Short mmCIF file of all heavy atoms in Angstrom, two decimals:
data_model
loop_
_atom_site.label_atom_id
_atom_site.label_comp_id
_atom_site.label_asym_id
_atom_site.label_seq_id
_atom_site.Cartn_x
_atom_site.Cartn_y
_atom_site.Cartn_z
N VAL A 1278 10.92 -17.58 -1.92
CA VAL A 1278 11.92 -16.81 -1.18
C VAL A 1278 11.71 -15.31 -1.41
O VAL A 1278 11.80 -14.51 -0.47
CB VAL A 1278 13.35 -17.26 -1.55
CG1 VAL A 1278 14.39 -16.32 -0.96
CG2 VAL A 1278 13.59 -18.69 -1.06
N LEU A 1281 8.92 -14.30 0.77
CA LEU A 1281 9.37 -14.19 2.16
C LEU A 1281 9.93 -12.79 2.42
O LEU A 1281 9.54 -12.12 3.38
CB LEU A 1281 10.43 -15.24 2.46
CG LEU A 1281 11.21 -15.07 3.77
CD1 LEU A 1281 10.32 -15.34 4.97
CD2 LEU A 1281 12.43 -15.98 3.78
N TYR A 1282 10.84 -12.34 1.56
CA TYR A 1282 11.47 -11.04 1.79
C TYR A 1282 10.55 -9.88 1.46
O TYR A 1282 10.69 -8.80 2.03
CB TYR A 1282 12.82 -10.97 1.09
CG TYR A 1282 13.81 -11.78 1.87
CD1 TYR A 1282 14.14 -13.08 1.49
CD2 TYR A 1282 14.35 -11.29 3.05
CE1 TYR A 1282 15.01 -13.85 2.25
CE2 TYR A 1282 15.22 -12.06 3.82
CZ TYR A 1282 15.54 -13.33 3.42
OH TYR A 1282 16.37 -14.08 4.19
N ILE A 1285 8.76 -9.55 4.76
CA ILE A 1285 9.63 -8.93 5.75
C ILE A 1285 9.74 -7.43 5.47
O ILE A 1285 9.63 -6.61 6.39
CB ILE A 1285 11.01 -9.61 5.77
CG1 ILE A 1285 10.87 -11.02 6.35
CG2 ILE A 1285 12.02 -8.78 6.56
CD1 ILE A 1285 12.08 -11.91 6.15
N PHE A 1297 7.66 -20.92 6.36
CA PHE A 1297 8.55 -21.97 6.85
C PHE A 1297 7.74 -23.20 7.22
O PHE A 1297 6.65 -23.10 7.79
CB PHE A 1297 9.34 -21.50 8.06
CG PHE A 1297 10.39 -20.48 7.72
CD1 PHE A 1297 10.07 -19.13 7.70
CD2 PHE A 1297 11.68 -20.86 7.41
CE1 PHE A 1297 11.02 -18.18 7.37
CE2 PHE A 1297 12.65 -19.93 7.08
CZ PHE A 1297 12.31 -18.57 7.05
N PHE A 1303 13.51 -20.76 12.71
CA PHE A 1303 14.62 -20.58 13.65
C PHE A 1303 14.14 -19.76 14.84
O PHE A 1303 14.27 -18.56 14.88
CB PHE A 1303 15.77 -19.90 12.92
CG PHE A 1303 16.01 -20.57 11.59
CD1 PHE A 1303 15.56 -20.02 10.42
CD2 PHE A 1303 16.66 -21.79 11.55
CE1 PHE A 1303 15.76 -20.66 9.21
CE2 PHE A 1303 16.86 -22.44 10.35
CZ PHE A 1303 16.41 -21.87 9.17
N TYR A 1313 14.03 -8.92 13.16
CA TYR A 1313 13.88 -7.91 12.11
C TYR A 1313 13.48 -6.54 12.67
O TYR A 1313 13.14 -5.64 11.91
CB TYR A 1313 12.84 -8.37 11.08
CG TYR A 1313 13.28 -9.60 10.34
CD1 TYR A 1313 12.76 -10.86 10.65
CD2 TYR A 1313 14.25 -9.51 9.35
CE1 TYR A 1313 13.20 -11.99 9.98
CE2 TYR A 1313 14.69 -10.64 8.68
CZ TYR A 1313 14.16 -11.87 9.00
OH TYR A 1313 14.60 -12.99 8.34
N VAL A 1321 16.49 -8.87 -2.12
CA VAL A 1321 16.94 -10.25 -2.33
C VAL A 1321 17.08 -10.51 -3.82
O VAL A 1321 16.28 -10.02 -4.62
CB VAL A 1321 15.98 -11.27 -1.68
CG1 VAL A 1321 14.60 -11.23 -2.30
CG2 VAL A 1321 16.52 -12.69 -1.75
N ILE A 1322 18.13 -11.24 -4.17
CA ILE A 1322 18.25 -11.76 -5.52
C ILE A 1322 18.42 -13.27 -5.42
O ILE A 1322 18.98 -13.78 -4.45
CB ILE A 1322 19.40 -11.11 -6.33
CG1 ILE A 1322 20.74 -11.24 -5.62
CG2 ILE A 1322 19.09 -9.67 -6.64
CD1 ILE A 1322 21.92 -10.72 -6.43
N VAL A 1339 17.57 -22.97 -3.47
CA VAL A 1339 17.52 -21.61 -4.00
C VAL A 1339 18.74 -20.81 -3.53
O VAL A 1339 18.83 -20.46 -2.35
CB VAL A 1339 16.23 -20.89 -3.54
CG1 VAL A 1339 16.14 -19.50 -4.15
CG2 VAL A 1339 14.99 -21.71 -3.86
N PRO A 1340 19.68 -20.51 -4.44
CA PRO A 1340 20.79 -19.63 -4.07
C PRO A 1340 20.26 -18.20 -3.87
O PRO A 1340 19.47 -17.72 -4.67
CB PRO A 1340 21.73 -19.68 -5.28
CG PRO A 1340 21.23 -20.78 -6.16
CD PRO A 1340 19.80 -20.99 -5.82
N VAL A 1341 20.71 -17.55 -2.79
CA VAL A 1341 20.23 -16.20 -2.50
C VAL A 1341 21.36 -15.28 -2.06
O VAL A 1341 22.36 -15.72 -1.48
CB VAL A 1341 19.15 -16.17 -1.39
CG1 VAL A 1341 17.91 -16.93 -1.80
CG2 VAL A 1341 19.67 -16.68 -0.08
N ALA A 1342 21.16 -14.00 -2.34
CA ALA A 1342 21.97 -12.93 -1.76
C ALA A 1342 20.98 -11.90 -1.26
O ALA A 1342 20.00 -11.57 -1.95
CB ALA A 1342 22.92 -12.34 -2.79
N ILE A 1343 21.20 -11.43 -0.04
CA ILE A 1343 20.26 -10.54 0.63
C ILE A 1343 21.01 -9.32 1.14
O ILE A 1343 22.09 -9.46 1.73
CB ILE A 1343 19.58 -11.26 1.82
CG1 ILE A 1343 18.85 -12.50 1.32
CG2 ILE A 1343 18.66 -10.33 2.59
CD1 ILE A 1343 18.92 -13.66 2.24
N VAL A 1354 25.20 -7.64 4.02
CA VAL A 1354 24.91 -8.55 2.91
C VAL A 1354 25.07 -9.98 3.42
O VAL A 1354 26.04 -10.30 4.12
CB VAL A 1354 25.85 -8.28 1.71
CG1 VAL A 1354 25.61 -9.29 0.60
CG2 VAL A 1354 25.66 -6.85 1.19
N PHE A 1355 24.11 -10.81 3.07
CA PHE A 1355 24.11 -12.22 3.44
C PHE A 1355 24.01 -13.06 2.18
O PHE A 1355 23.38 -12.65 1.20
CB PHE A 1355 22.93 -12.54 4.36
CG PHE A 1355 22.93 -11.75 5.63
CD1 PHE A 1355 22.33 -10.51 5.70
CD2 PHE A 1355 23.54 -12.26 6.77
CE1 PHE A 1355 22.33 -9.77 6.87
CE2 PHE A 1355 23.56 -11.53 7.95
CZ PHE A 1355 22.95 -10.28 8.00
N ALA A 1356 24.61 -14.24 2.20
CA ALA A 1356 24.53 -15.14 1.06
C ALA A 1356 24.35 -16.56 1.57
O ALA A 1356 24.76 -16.89 2.68
CB ALA A 1356 25.79 -15.04 0.22
N GLY A 1357 23.73 -17.38 0.74
CA GLY A 1357 23.56 -18.78 1.10
C GLY A 1357 22.47 -19.43 0.29
O GLY A 1357 22.20 -19.04 -0.84
N CYS A 1358 21.83 -20.41 0.92
CA CYS A 1358 20.84 -21.22 0.23
C CYS A 1358 19.61 -21.46 1.10
O CYS A 1358 19.73 -21.69 2.30
CB CYS A 1358 21.43 -22.58 -0.12
SG CYS A 1358 22.84 -22.46 -1.25
N TYR A 1359 18.47 -21.40 0.46
CA TYR A 1359 17.22 -21.86 1.05
C TYR A 1359 16.87 -23.16 0.33
O TYR A 1359 17.08 -23.29 -0.88
CB TYR A 1359 16.08 -20.86 0.81
CG TYR A 1359 16.07 -19.71 1.77
CD1 TYR A 1359 16.74 -18.53 1.49
CD2 TYR A 1359 15.38 -19.80 2.98
CE1 TYR A 1359 16.73 -17.46 2.37
CE2 TYR A 1359 15.36 -18.74 3.86
CZ TYR A 1359 16.04 -17.58 3.56
OH TYR A 1359 16.02 -16.54 4.44
N ILE A 1360 16.34 -24.12 1.07
CA ILE A 1360 15.83 -25.34 0.47
C ILE A 1360 14.31 -25.31 0.65
O ILE A 1360 13.82 -25.23 1.78
CB ILE A 1360 16.40 -26.62 1.14
CG1 ILE A 1360 17.93 -26.62 1.14
CG2 ILE A 1360 15.83 -27.87 0.46
CD1 ILE A 1360 18.57 -26.65 -0.22
N ILE A 1378 9.48 -23.40 3.00
CA ILE A 1378 10.92 -23.36 3.22
C ILE A 1378 11.25 -24.45 4.24
O ILE A 1378 10.73 -24.43 5.35
CB ILE A 1378 11.37 -21.98 3.71
CG1 ILE A 1378 11.09 -20.94 2.62
CG2 ILE A 1378 12.86 -22.00 4.08
CD1 ILE A 1378 11.26 -19.51 3.07
N SER A 1380 14.64 -25.47 4.92
CA SER A 1380 15.86 -25.13 5.65
C SER A 1380 16.52 -23.93 5.00
O SER A 1380 16.19 -23.55 3.87
CB SER A 1380 16.84 -26.32 5.69
OG SER A 1380 17.29 -26.63 4.39
N ALA A 1381 17.45 -23.35 5.74
CA ALA A 1381 18.20 -22.20 5.23
C ALA A 1381 19.59 -22.19 5.84
O ALA A 1381 19.75 -22.52 7.01
CB ALA A 1381 17.48 -20.90 5.57
N GLU A 1382 20.55 -21.84 5.04
CA GLU A 1382 21.92 -21.63 5.51
C GLU A 1382 22.40 -20.32 4.91
O GLU A 1382 22.61 -20.23 3.70
CB GLU A 1382 22.83 -22.78 5.08
CG GLU A 1382 22.55 -24.08 5.81
CD GLU A 1382 23.55 -25.17 5.46
OE1 GLU A 1382 24.65 -24.85 4.98
OE2 GLU A 1382 23.19 -26.33 5.66
N LEU A 1383 22.52 -19.30 5.75
CA LEU A 1383 22.96 -17.98 5.32
C LEU A 1383 24.11 -17.53 6.19
O LEU A 1383 24.17 -17.87 7.36
CB LEU A 1383 21.82 -16.97 5.44
CG LEU A 1383 20.55 -17.26 4.66
CD1 LEU A 1383 19.46 -16.27 5.06
CD2 LEU A 1383 20.80 -17.19 3.18
N GLU A 1384 24.99 -16.73 5.61
CA GLU A 1384 26.06 -16.13 6.42
C GLU A 1384 26.32 -14.73 5.90
O GLU A 1384 26.10 -14.44 4.72
CB GLU A 1384 27.33 -16.98 6.39
CG GLU A 1384 27.93 -17.17 5.03
CD GLU A 1384 29.16 -18.07 5.07
OE1 GLU A 1384 29.21 -19.01 5.88
OE2 GLU A 1384 30.08 -17.83 4.27
N GLU A 1385 26.77 -13.87 6.79
CA GLU A 1385 27.11 -12.52 6.39
C GLU A 1385 28.39 -12.56 5.55
O GLU A 1385 29.32 -13.31 5.86
CB GLU A 1385 27.32 -11.63 7.62
CG GLU A 1385 27.45 -10.18 7.27
CD GLU A 1385 27.42 -9.25 8.49
OE1 GLU A 1385 27.20 -9.74 9.62
OE2 GLU A 1385 27.60 -8.05 8.29
N VAL A 1386 28.41 -11.80 4.48
CA VAL A 1386 29.55 -11.77 3.57
C VAL A 1386 29.94 -10.32 3.27
O VAL A 1386 29.17 -9.40 3.50
CB VAL A 1386 29.24 -12.51 2.24
CG1 VAL A 1386 28.98 -13.99 2.49
CG2 VAL A 1386 28.08 -11.88 1.50
N ALA A 1393 27.56 -11.38 -4.36
CA ALA A 1393 27.44 -12.30 -3.22
C ALA A 1393 26.66 -13.56 -3.55
O ALA A 1393 26.70 -14.52 -2.79
CB ALA A 1393 26.79 -11.57 -2.04
N LEU A 1394 25.93 -13.59 -4.64
CA LEU A 1394 25.06 -14.70 -4.97
C LEU A 1394 25.84 -15.99 -5.24
O LEU A 1394 26.71 -16.01 -6.11
CB LEU A 1394 24.23 -14.35 -6.20
CG LEU A 1394 23.15 -15.35 -6.62
CD1 LEU A 1394 22.06 -15.43 -5.55
CD2 LEU A 1394 22.55 -14.93 -7.95
N PRO A 1395 25.57 -17.07 -4.48
CA PRO A 1395 26.23 -18.36 -4.74
C PRO A 1395 25.84 -18.88 -6.13
O PRO A 1395 24.73 -18.65 -6.59
CB PRO A 1395 25.69 -19.29 -3.67
CG PRO A 1395 25.10 -18.41 -2.63
CD PRO A 1395 24.68 -17.16 -3.32
N CYS A 1398 23.34 -24.35 -5.25
CA CYS A 1398 22.99 -24.92 -3.94
C CYS A 1398 22.61 -26.38 -4.21
O CYS A 1398 22.24 -26.74 -5.32
CB CYS A 1398 21.79 -24.20 -3.34
SG CYS A 1398 22.09 -22.50 -2.85
#
Side-chain angles (χ1 to χ4, degrees):
V1278 171
L1281 167 70
Y1282 285 99
I1285 290 167
F1297 289 88
F1303 313 101
Y1313 295 103
V1321 63
I1322 55 175
V1339 183
V1341 297
I1343 301 143
V1354 176
F1355 300 88
C1358 298
Y1359 278 91
I1360 305 297
I1378 297 170
S1380 65
E1382 289 185 21
L1383 301 171
E1384 61 183 34
E1385 189 170 355
V1386 297
L1394 186 65
C1398 292

